[in-house]
C-alpha cells in the first residue's frame, strides 16, 4: 500500500492542475455563450448563401466580361450610327430627286397646256408633197432626239418614235407633232416622279429603321457601362429569408378598350 501511495501521490497535483484547466475552459465558454448567444450560433442559411455567392476571382472575371461586352456594344452602336447617317444622306438625296422630278413635271404640264391652247387654232396650210412629209418626219425625229438627250424621253419612247408606233405619226403638222411630243414627255416625267417618290419612301423607311437600331444600341451600350456584377442573381436563393406573403386576391382586369402603358416594342411613326 505504501508502495502504491508513493507511486500515485506525486501525480495528484499534476492531475488537479489539468482538471482545473479544463474547468476554466468550460467556464469561459459558458460565459461567452451567456454574454453573446448569437456569436457561436450555426446559421446554415448564411453559410450556404456565402458559399453560393461568386468568389473574388469569379467576380473579377465577370467584371472583365461585362467590360468586353460593353466595348463590343459600343462598337456596334458606332457602326449603326454611321449606317444611319449614310442612309439619312441617301434619303435627303432621294428627296431632292423627288423635288427635281416634280419641278420638271410641272414645266412639262405647263407646256402641254400652252400647246393645247395653240392647237385649238387651225394649223397653217402647207402643200402636201413628199418633200413636205419628209420635212415633217425629220422635224419629229430631231425634236424627239433632242428630248431624249435632255432625258425627257426614255429609250423605249425614242425607239417608238423612229418606228412610227404608239401614235407617232410623221405626217402630222409640226404643231400637232410638238403637242404629241410634249404629252409623251409629260407622261414620262410623271412616271419618273412616281418612281423617285417610291425610292424616297423606301430610303426614308430604311433611314428610320437604322436610326432606331442605333438608338437601341446606344441605350444598351450605356446600360452595359453602368452594369455591375452585384446585379447578377445568385446561384441559390436566400435560405431562411422571409417568404412572400401569398394571397388569394384576383388580379384586376383592365377594361375593354384600355391601352397598356409603357414603352412600345416597335416605335410607331
Amino acid at each position: 500500500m505504501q508502495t502504491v501511495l508513493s507511486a500515485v501521490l506525486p501525480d495528484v497535483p499534476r492531475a488537479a492542475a489539468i482538471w482545473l484547466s479544463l474547468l476554466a475552459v468550460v467556464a469561459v465558454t459558458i460565459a461567452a455563450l451567456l454574454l453573446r448567444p448569437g456569436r457561436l450560433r450555426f446559421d446554415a442559411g448564411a453559410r450556404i448563401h456565402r458559399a453560393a455567392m461568386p468568389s473574388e476571382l469569379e467576380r473579377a472575371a465577370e467584371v472583365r466580361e461585362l467590360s468586353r461586352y460593353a466595348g463590343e456594344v459600343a462598337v456596334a452602336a458606332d457602326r449603326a450610327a454611321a449606317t444611319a447617317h449614310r442612309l439619312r444622306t441617301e434619303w435627303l438625296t432621294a428627296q431632292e430627286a423627288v423635288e427635281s422630278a416634280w419641278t420638271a413635271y410641272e414645266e412639262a404640264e405647263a407646256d402641254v397646256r400652252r400647246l393645247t391652247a395653240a392647237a385649238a387654232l387651225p394649223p397653217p396650210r402647207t402643200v402636201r408633197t413628199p418633200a413636205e412629209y419628209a420635212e415633217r418626219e425629220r422635224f419629229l425625229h430631231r425634236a424627239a432626239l433632242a428630248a431624249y438627250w435632255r432625258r425627257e424621253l426614255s429609250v423605249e419612247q425614242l425607239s417608238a418614235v423612229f418606228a412610227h408606233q404608239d401614235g407617232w405619226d410623221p405626217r402630222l403638222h409640226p404643231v400637232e407633232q410638238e403637242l404629241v411630243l410634249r404629252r409623251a414627255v409629260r407622261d414620262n416625267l410623271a412616271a419618273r416622279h412616281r418612281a423617285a417618290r417610291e425610292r424616297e419612301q423606301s430610303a426614308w423607311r430604311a433611314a428610320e429603321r437604322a436610326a432606331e437600331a442605333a438608338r437601341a444600341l446606344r441605350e444598351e451600350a450605356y446600360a452595359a457601362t453602368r452594369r455591375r456584377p452585384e446585379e447578377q442573381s445568385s446561384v441559390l436563393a436566400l435560405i431562411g429569408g422571409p417568404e412572400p406573403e401569398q394571397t388569394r386576391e384576383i388580379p384586376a382586369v383592365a377594361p375593354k378598350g384600355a391601352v397598356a402603358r409603357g414603352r412600345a416594342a416597335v416605335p410607331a411613326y
Side-chain angles (χ1 to χ4, degrees):
M1 180 62 70
Q2 291 178 355
T3 303
V4 173
L5 292 174
S6 62
V8 172
L9 288 176
D11 295 334
V12 171
R14 186 182 301 171
I18 293 174
W19 279 103
L20 289 176
S21 300
L22 294 175
L23 289 175
V25 171
V26 172
V28 171
T29 303
I30 293 174
L33 291 175
L34 291 177
L35 292 177
R36 302 187 67 177
R39 184 178 181 84
L40 300 178
R41 184 177 59 186
F42 178 75
D43 192 353
R47 293 192 177 185
I48 294 176
H49 175 64
R50 288 194 297 270
M53 293 299 291
S55 63
E56 293 298 328
L57 294 178
E58 293 174 345
R59 192 180 299 275
E62 290 180 0
V63 170
R64 290 193 299 270
E65 181 65 21
L66 287 176
S67 178
R68 183 188 64 81
Y69 173 73
E72 291 179 353
V73 176
V75 172
D78 293 339
R79 293 178 179 176
T83 302
H85 179 72
R86 176 177 57 83
L87 292 178
R88 176 175 174 79
T89 303
E90 293 179 359
W91 169 62
L92 293 176
T93 303
Q95 193 174 26
E96 293 177 357
V98 170
E99 294 176 357
S100 299
W102 177 253
T103 302
Y105 168 74
E106 286 185 333
E107 293 176 357
E109 179 65 25
D111 291 340
V112 169
R113 289 195 297 267
R114 176 177 57 81
L115 291 175
T116 301
L121 301 176
R125 294 183 179 183
T126 57
V127 180
R128 297 184 180 183
T129 61
E132 174 65 19
Y133 286 128
E135 181 61 28
R136 292 183 180 184
E137 183 177 4
R138 285 192 297 269
F139 172 81
L140 175 61
H141 292 172
R142 286 195 302 267
L145 190 60
Y148 171 76
W149 288 119
R150 291 193 302 269
R151 301 183 62 185
E152 295 177 348
L153 288 180
S154 64
V155 64
E156 291 82 6
Q157 290 175 315
L158 183 63
S159 300
V161 170
F162 281 91
H164 304 164
Q165 297 175 354
D166 298 338
W168 297 100
D169 188 359
R171 296 172 300 176
L172 296 177
H173 192 273
V175 175
E176 297 174 340
Q177 290 181 355
E178 184 68 20
L179 179 58
V180 173
L181 179 63
R182 289 294 98 192
R183 287 174 178 172
V185 169
R186 180 198 58 187
D187 297 340
N188 182 47
L189 293 178
R192 186 179 300 176
H193 174 261
R194 288 192 298 269
R197 183 64 179 173
E198 292 176 359
R199 288 192 298 268
E200 186 267 340
Q201 290 292 328
S202 179
W204 177 78
R205 288 190 293 267
E208 285 295 315
R209 288 193 297 266
E212 183 63 25
R215 283 192 295 268
L217 285 173
R218 280 196 297 267
E219 292 177 359
E220 178 62 21
Y222 178 76
T225 56
R226 299 176 62 86
R227 197 170 299 163
R228 296 293 181 268
E230 289 79 8
E231 298 179 6
Q232 305 297 328
S233 59
S234 176
V235 179
L236 297 176
L238 295 178
I239 300 178
E243 297 183 356
E245 182 181 358
Q246 297 181 355
T247 61
R248 298 179 60 87
E249 296 180 359
I250 300 175
V253 180
K256 184 177 181 181
V259 179
R261 301 265 181 195
R263 180 175 295 182
V266 178
Y269 301 103

